Amino acid sequence: MRFTRLIAVLLTAVMTVGCQSLWNGGTNVRTTDTAEKSGTGELRTGLEPLTKRFPALDDVEQARWMSGTLGSDRAPGPSTYWIDAVVTLPESKIDELKSAYAPESTGKSPEVVEGLRAELPTGTFLTSDRLDQAFSHDKWFAKAYLVPDRRALVLVATGT
């Protein structure tokens, strides 16, 4: 009985190490807990894909955004998608968002992909859980950052 348990433990350990090595591309490098964003690197400006996924962006004037999938395309199962966007909104929409969701400065700034960093507005980023919820919809979870002085909203979103 003890021998059987020992064999089971050893087999589990060997399979775990083997799978970790496979998922790390066979490099035995320790991975972080967050999946990496991958995509085409294309900086997009079309509004319809954003307004379709985020109905609260009904008044968007312009946008610069990138998208792709999280993790490796070699991983089995459904994909998790990401969208990082910097959008310009009318002053009235900015005022509405500030009034309705009371975002505050937390000292945090959005973590967007490298290709979008140059598009980030300067100024103080305002956030709140309620603002995040306003842009989270259907199967999309969004972290929203408002920069009122620039009439800008930055979304960092993931969905399935």
Side-chain angles (χ1 to χ4, degrees), residues 16-97:
T16 301
V17 170
C19 287
Q20 286 175 346
S21 178
L22 176 65
W23 289 113
N24 292 331
T27 62
N28 291 326
V29 174
R30 186 167 185 232
T31 59
T32 61
D33 291 332
T34 57
E36 291 202 27
K37 294 177 179 178
S38 61
T40 65
E42 176 187 3
L43 187 59
R44 301 173 69 182
T45 59
L47 302 180
E48 192 269 334
L50 293 177
T51 58
K52 182 173 105 178
R53 288 170 179 84
F54 307 103
L57 286 178
D58 57 351
D59 293 349
V60 66
E61 293 177 350
Q62 65 180 7
R64 310 276 288 167
W65 58 283
M66 299 178 85
S67 65
T69 58
L70 289 177
S72 170
D73 58 358
R74 297 182 311 194
S79 293
T80 299
Y81 300 95
W82 61 268
I83 294 175
D84 291 353
V86 178
V87 300
T88 303
L89 299 169
E91 189 70 40
S92 60
K93 184 68 170 188
I94 295 291
D95 292 341
E96 176 187 322
L97 293 172

Side-chain angles (χ1 to χ4, degrees), residues 56-57 59-64 85-98 103 110 112 116-127 131 135 143-156:
L57 286 178
D59 293 349
V60 66
E61 293 177 350
Q62 65 180 7
R64 310 276 288 167
V86 178
V87 300
T88 303
L89 299 169
E91 189 70 40
S92 60
K93 184 68 170 188
I94 295 291
D95 292 341
E96 176 187 322
L97 293 172
K98 284 173 44 183
V112 298
L116 196 63
R117 288 187 190 143
E119 303 296 325
L120 287 175
T122 57
T124 302
F125 293 99
L126 306 180
T127 63
L131 183 63
F135 289 93
K143 184 74 178 149
Y145 300 83
L146 194 62
V147 185
D149 296 343
R150 302 286 185 217
R151 295 189 310 122
L153 178 79
V154 179
L155 287 180
V156 178

